[in-house]
Each structure stands twice: as structure tokens, then as C-alpha cells.
């Protein structure tokens, strides 16, 4: 480490746009989805269904463009999973962070996510979100199942998977929001996702675990 924080442009404009757009879309989907299931009343059942369907399709289209951006820019490398320093990072978040210890895997331009974040974000983007989107699309297109040869599915199965993923994503968001407060200051990570710039102690050399993802 250099020991001197450097102001680094960490998140591109598109990354920030996608992050906040996705948060807004997921927020609307969670609210309308819970209303459809009778948790509360905001817009009324039919309006909630319509808003939910429209927002879900918009999310699906936005996710396609994000995936395209990831592979055309090479940013997908940021999500290659690694077990190197995984236990060290878990120990830090479980214990060291409350003792004021330094993060064992500092951010850098070439490695924005630590090993635990890589595994978490990859699981979210490659497993949870696709399952949620596919189950939502199936839910929406229920009347076409017979024509598509999907008679082996049941609406209750698809509905259960869709709702289970919704709650899993909600849990992720709660944890994610908490983790944004663990930077150098409470709002340091949040500010970085707004401006793109963050003050980091940039490593002088790329560590072994980062080379695995390059």
C-alpha cells in the first residue's frame, strides 16, 4: 500500500446509472409485488399488477443491456470468483471491522470487489436475478403455457419460486445498504456510487488474488 489515499474514478457513468436504475426498478417491483399479495394497499390491486408487469419487462430489457455492456467492456472480469483471502475477508466483516482493523483486500481500479463481494454479486447477477426474471415472465405469460408446451409447470410452483427470490433479493438489499456504511465514513461508498470518485489507498502492486481475475 502507498499509505496515501488517492482520488480514483472507480465507477463509470453507466455503472452508476445501472445501479440506481436497478434499485429504483427493484423497489417498485417489491412494493407492487407485496401489494398484489395483499400486504398493504397503495394503488389498488389492478394498478399494482399493471405497474408490476410493466416494470418487470423494463427491468428485463435493462438487464440485457447491462449484460451486453459487461461483456463488451471487459467488466465481467470484476466478477470472476476466487477463494483467495475469502476467509480473511469473512473474518474482517465478522470481527475485525468492529475493532477498527484495516480492510484486508482494499479496492482498486482493477479489482473493485473483494472475494466475498465477487461471489455475492455473481450469485445475484447469474443466478438470483435470472431466476426471478424467468419466473416473473412465466407468471406473466401463464395463458400461453399450453401453446409453448409448458403444461408440466404449475402456477403455484412458479409463484413460490418468484416470491422466494423476491424475499432473497430484499434480504440482499438490506445487507447491501448496511455494508455501504462500512467505508472510511458512513457515506463514503454511497458518495462514490453517485460521483464515481472514491478516495482509496491504491495498492502499489496487483496482488495474487487479483491476477486470477485479470
Amino acid at each position: 500500500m502507498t499509505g496515501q489515499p488517492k482520488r480514483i474514478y472507480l465507477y463509470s457513468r453507466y455503472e452508476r446509472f445501472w445501479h440506481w436504475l436497478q434499485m429504483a426498478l427493484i423497489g417498485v417491483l417489491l412494493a407492487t409485488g407485496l401489494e398484489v399479495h395483499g400486504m398493504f394497499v397503495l394503488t389498488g390491486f389492478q394498478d399494482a399488477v399493471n405497474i408490476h408487469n410493466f416494470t418487470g419487462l423494463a427491468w428485463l430489457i435493462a438487464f440485457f443491456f447491462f449484460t451486453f455492456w459487461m461483456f463488451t467492456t471487459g467488466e465481467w472480469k470484476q466478477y470472476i470468483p476466487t477463494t483467495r483471502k475469502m476467509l480473511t475477508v469473512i473474518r474482517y466483516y465478522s470481527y475485525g471491522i468492529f475493532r477498527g482493523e484495516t480492510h484486508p483486500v482494499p479496492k482498486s481500479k482493477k479489482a473493485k470487489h473483494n472475494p466475498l463481494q465477487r461471489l455475492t454479486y455473481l450469485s445475484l447477477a447469474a443466478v438470483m436475478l435470472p431466476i426471478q426474471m424467468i419466473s416473473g415472465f412465466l407468471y406473466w405469460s401463464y395463458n400461453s403455457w399450453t401453446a409453448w408446451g409448458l403444461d408440466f409447470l404449475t402456477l403455484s410452483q412458479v409463484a413460490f419460486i418468484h416470491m422466494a427470490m423476491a424475499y432473497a433479493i430484499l434480504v440482499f438489499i438490506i445487507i447491501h445498504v448496511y455494508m455501504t456504511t462500512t467505508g472510511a465514513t458512513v457515506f463514503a461508498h454511497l458518495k462514490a456510487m453517485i460521483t464515481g470518485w472514491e478516495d482509496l489507498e491504491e495498492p502499489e502492486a496487483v496482488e495474487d488474488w487479483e491476477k486470477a481475475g485479470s
Side-chain angles (χ1 to χ4, degrees):
M1 301 291 293
T2 63
Q4 293 296 324
K6 296 167 60 177
R7 194 165 179 77
I8 297 173
Y9 189 65
L10 199 61
Y11 303 110
S12 69
R13 185 176 301 174
Y14 185 79
E15 280 179 286
R16 304 193 314 271
F17 168 76
W18 163 248
H19 177 272
W20 294 112
L21 174 64
Q22 182 169 230
M23 287 298 293
L25 293 174
I26 291 176
V28 172
L29 287 167
L30 285 172
T32 53
L34 291 173
E35 182 173 7
V36 168
H37 282 269
M39 299 292 289
F40 46 76
V41 177
L42 288 176
T43 63
F45 179 83
Q46 191 56 55
D47 284 341
V49 169
N50 293 336
I51 294 172
H52 192 83
N53 291 340
F54 176 81
T55 306
L57 291 173
W59 189 31
L60 183 62
I61 294 170
F63 187 76
F64 171 80
F65 280 105
F66 176 71
T67 303
F68 177 78
W69 174 84
M70 287 262 292
F71 283 97
T72 55
T73 60
E75 282 295 308
W76 61 271
K77 295 177 182 179
Q78 300 277 1
Y79 300 88
I80 295 177
T82 176
T83 58
R84 291 173 178 166
K85 290 198 174 184
M86 178 71 77
L87 294 179
T88 304
V89 172
I90 292 175
R91 178 203 169 277
Y92 169 76
Y93 284 124
S94 302
Y95 175 75
I97 193 172
F98 301 108
R99 294 173 55 85
E101 295 180 8
T102 301
H103 199 297
V105 183
K107 292 182 183 180
S108 69
K109 184 67 175 178
K110 294 182 179 180
K112 301 175 186 178
H113 311 305
N114 64 55
L116 185 59
Q117 288 176 315
R118 289 188 180 201
L119 184 61
T120 301
Y121 295 154
L122 181 63
S123 299
L124 181 71
V127 180
M128 292 172 61
L129 296 189
I131 290 176
Q132 181 70 346
M133 292 175 182
I134 291 171
S135 62
F137 182 79
L138 288 172
Y139 209 155
W140 175 70
S141 60
Y142 171 71
N143 292 327
S144 300
W145 286 8
T146 300
W148 295 348
L150 299 177
D151 291 334
F152 60 92
L153 294 175
T154 67
L155 191 60
S156 60
Q157 291 172 336
V158 173
F160 175 79
I161 293 173
H162 194 66
M163 185 56 111
M165 285 298 101
Y167 279 116
I169 292 171
L170 177 59
V171 170
F172 165 79
I173 291 174
I174 293 172
I175 296 173
H176 183 65
V177 171
Y178 164 71
M179 294 303 291
T180 63
T181 67
T182 61
T185 64
V186 173
F187 298 110
H189 293 327
L190 180 63
K191 183 178 179 181
M193 191 49 70
I194 294 174
T195 66
W197 295 87
E198 187 164 358
D199 294 326
L200 302 173
E201 293 186 16
E202 183 80 359
E204 293 180 342
V206 177
E207 297 189 30
D208 289 340
W209 76 273
E210 294 181 24
K211 292 178 183 178
S214 63

